[in-house]
Amino acid sequence: MTFLPLTRHDALKAWADFLPGVGQYAKRRNHVEPLHRNVSRLSAALRFRTLLEDEILRDTLQEHPFHSVEKWVQEVCWRRYWKGWLERRPDVWDSWRRRVRELHETLPEATRQRVKAVAAGESGVACMDAIVQELIATGYVHNHARMWWASYWIHAERLPWELGADVFYRHLLDADPATNTLSWRWVAGLQTPGKTYLVRASNIEKYAPDLLISHRAGIERIADGAIAPVIASEFANTTRQALIDYPAMVPASGRRVGIWLHADDLLPEVGPLANLTPVSVAAFSQELEACHTPALSKRSIAAQEEALADGLARSAAHFSCPTEQSTHADPAACLAAWASKHGLEEVVAFAPTVGPVADLLPSVRQRLDKSGVALTLIRRASDAHAFELAGSGFFPFWEKMSRYLHHQKNLFADL
């Protein structure tokens, strides 16, 4: 099993190992320890949906009283909150993408060189450099360390938050468009306007003493009180929009159906697609890499390909049909060619959330429409419910979600 489990088999094993100790999560979660055994390391599996949040919530609440695991359950629900918040404000994602391109083209040369040095772990503040070096080497960093490094990038180095978020997005194996973008905005003081997060040496000494044992050079730059917050400018339109109303089940049609698997949800055998009889299932592994400039790291691309391949293997076993995986540079053209090859009349997929896969939808629809193939997008009912609650701040969301988890008896009926 890899350090971050990507296949469903490995994710289920890791979750089974972690489940008995989730009652200790609240006490241990902020401590940054070697090998990170105090956290679940399931973030990549959740990002690709080789393991569902619903499965984690179900198992947790069956094994532990709610009051003893509330912080753990809350953290699982944060992921859906971020996604729901961004679903209502898609320009935040679009604006970040635009700003990354603009900044790479317009920054002064001296700033560009500093961006490059800090992103490579050559800032001169040894503990911060160790964090990004771990990111590059493993594709993972503990969430608390992510906050420290993001704060250092923005408020100590005074570099654009958008480019720091880009460093994380390109290297993290669990890089999620909503969680990554909005977490960086929070550290920058945009997500909660005016409330920034400042890294402090005393906080690192408390929660990551091992990090500082051999990485103390330059620590004075992040001494308590040494950093003044940067006030970030807002470039995105954050006006709240209505959610798209996707169906929760596939309408009966009698058509020849194929399932399109993508990196936002790789578990078609669990939930509303499970009873389909597809002619074929297909995935296109370059779809995310092709949509991002600069390109994702080789490690990130390999992780996505492994997760997609696992999804296809499980699909072949569950649906007893042929599967295809392509690295075509134009995923929309590849989807249309696959549909034509199998004589499909309808392509069914889970509705992607705001991010690179959703960015492909206009071209995918256009290509399929030209071929006379319908595209049907489905949203899991539990996602739709969570997104509906995520209209404003997290704590109003959590108040409603926690009540729902307490009292909704049939929450996991479709698992």
Side-chain angles (χ1 to χ4, degrees):
M1 184 172 69
T2 59
F3 177 73
L4 289 184
L6 293 165
T7 69
R8 180 157 174 81
H9 175 272
D10 287 351
L12 288 171
K13 172 66 166 60
W15 171 226
D17 291 344
F18 191 73
L19 174 59
V22 296
Q24 299 301 311
Y25 175 80
K27 295 179 181 178
R28 300 175 56 194
R29 69 188 185 97
N30 284 329
H31 293 269
V32 183
E33 302 172 354
L35 302 180
H36 306 297
R37 292 194 178 98
N38 56 325
V39 291
S40 72
R41 292 172 291 169
L42 291 170
S43 51
L46 290 169
R47 185 266 174 272
F48 295 120
R49 281 257 167 105
T50 54
L51 183 66
L52 297 176
E53 292 94 334
D54 284 345
E55 295 177 296
I56 287 180
L57 294 172
R58 176 199 62 194
D59 296 346
T60 299
L61 297 177
Q62 286 177 351
E63 294 293 324
H64 300 274
F66 187 91
H67 68 85
S68 70
V69 293
E70 182 172 0
K71 177 53 67 176
W72 164 251
V73 172
Q74 189 179 84
E75 290 301 308
V76 174
C77 290
W78 259 107
R79 304 180 65 84
R80 276 179 168 159
Y81 167 73
W82 282 139
K83 286 180 180 294
W85 193 96
L86 193 60
E87 286 295 293
R88 293 173 176 271
R89 301 163 182 85
D91 190 62
V92 170
W93 165 259
D94 295 336
S95 172
W96 172 65
R97 295 286 298 277
R98 289 193 301 269
R99 286 287 295 163
V100 169
R101 291 191 294 268
E102 291 168 1
L103 289 164
H104 278 298
E105 294 170 358
T106 61
L107 280 179
E109 180 61 24
T111 306
R112 249 196 313 265
Q113 290 303 315
R114 190 58 184 168
V115 164
K116 185 177 179 180
V118 178
E122 299 171 358
S123 75
V125 179
C127 61
M128 295 295 103
D129 291 341
I131 290 171
V132 76
Q133 287 163 8
E134 179 185 13
L135 168 66
I136 294 168
T138 69
Y140 180 79
V141 176
H142 187 287
N143 187 61
H144 207 167
R146 297 183 198 196
M147 293 168 61
W148 293 331
W149 195 82
S151 178
Y152 172 74
W153 175 281
I154 297 168
H155 302 297
E157 290 287 345
R158 309 184 85 78
L159 296 172
W161 75 265
E162 296 93 339
L163 295 185
D166 185 60
V167 173
F168 272 18
Y169 193 84
R170 287 187 287 113
H171 288 284
L172 285 169
L173 304 190
D174 59 16
D176 175 84
T179 301
N180 188 65
T181 307
L182 302 184
S183 295
W184 273 84
R185 282 173 54 86
W186 183 79
V187 173
L190 292 172
Q191 204 59 25
T192 304
K195 184 178 180 180
T196 56
Y197 175 80
L198 297 182
V199 60
R200 294 176 291 112
S202 62
N203 191 253
I204 299 174
E205 288 172 342
K206 178 178 179 180
Y207 290 107
D210 289 342
L211 178 64
L212 294 183
I213 288 174
S214 55
H215 298 98
R216 296 199 67 86
I219 192 71
E220 67 279 356
R221 289 196 57 199
I222 56 173
D224 291 21
I227 300 173
V230 170
I231 307 302
S233 297
E234 180 65 88
F235 292 93
N237 177 6
T238 60
T239 304
R240 189 168 70 177
Q241 302 180 14
L243 291 169
I244 299 174
D245 186 17
Y246 291 110
M249 298 296 294
V250 181
S253 68
R255 296 166 173 162
R256 285 177 63 84
V257 171
I259 294 177
W260 168 32
L261 277 191
H262 55 71
D264 283 359
D265 197 316
L266 292 172
L267 203 57
E269 72 270 29
V270 176
L273 306 190
N275 293 324
L276 289 181
T277 54
V279 175
S280 177
V281 180
F284 305 98
S285 60
Q286 202 163 337
E287 57 197 5
L288 296 182
E289 188 272 342
C291 287
H292 195 76
T293 303
L296 303 181
S297 70
K298 291 181 179 179
R299 189 183 297 275
S300 293
I301 294 170
Q304 292 176 22
E305 290 179 343
E306 180 180 349
L308 285 166
D310 177 64
L312 285 175
R314 286 182 281 102
S315 296
H318 179 81
F319 296 109
S320 299
C321 71
T323 63
E324 297 182 21
Q325 182 169 0
S326 169
T327 57
H328 197 282
D330 184 347
C334 210
L335 257 169
W338 162 70
S340 176
K341 172 183 174 181
H342 291 280
L344 302 182
E345 299 168 289
E346 182 179 16
V347 170
V348 176
F350 285 114
T353 49
V354 169
V357 182
D359 290 345
L360 292 171
L361 286 180
S363 59
V364 167
R365 285 190 184 278
Q366 184 181 42
R367 292 273 190 170
L368 292 178
D369 283 347
K370 284 184 178 180
S371 303
V373 179
L375 176 63
T376 300
L377 300 177
I378 303 300
R379 175 146 287 163
R380 295 181 188 272
S382 55
D383 286 340
H385 177 261
F387 294 175
E388 189 63 40
L389 300 181
S392 55
F394 176 76
F395 290 103
F397 163 85
W398 176 243
E399 182 181 355
K400 297 170 186 174
M401 180 58 76
S402 60
R403 286 202 305 266
Y404 181 70
L405 292 173
H406 267 301
H407 302 300
Q408 180 67 17
K409 293 181 180 179
N410 296 321
L411 178 61
F412 309 112
D414 63 343
L415 293 184

